[in-house]
Amino acid sequence: MGMIMVKCPETGRAIPTGIESDRETFLRSVVFYANTRCPLCRANHNWFAREAWVEETVARPVALISTASAY
């Protein structure tokens, strides 16, 4: 699962819409129109699904730290 994102037309930065979806489901969805309040410029942005994308978090492996002493 990931967050559906759109681009703020004022700042050009990606903003979350508050809608979660997986990429495959989102790509199969019916064309829709939505409105999102932007946390960056504090305006309401209207957008179509074709202008949005799903930003999924990538799990990164955690490096293990050895606690054994080297004596």
Side-chain angles (χ1 to χ4, degrees):
M1 291 292 279
M3 180 63 63
I4 297 177
M5 307 289 285
V6 293
K7 187 169 122 177
C8 169
E10 296 297 319
T11 66
R13 294 176 53 196
I15 59 168
T17 63
I19 304 169
E20 288 188 350
S21 178
D22 61 85
R23 187 169 286 132
E24 293 78 21
T25 301
F26 180 68
L27 292 174
R28 288 191 314 264
S29 66
V30 178
V31 174
F32 63 88
Y33 180 75
N35 183 288
T36 297
R37 177 82 176 161
C38 180
L40 301 175
C41 71
R42 299 181 185 198
N44 287 322
H45 299 313
N46 299 316
W47 53 275
F48 286 98
R50 69 175 178 268
E51 301 167 329
W53 66 94
V54 177
E55 189 167 291
E56 296 178 287
T57 56
V58 177
R60 296 183 184 166
V62 177
L64 297 175
I65 300 173
S66 175
T67 57
S69 61
Y71 291 103

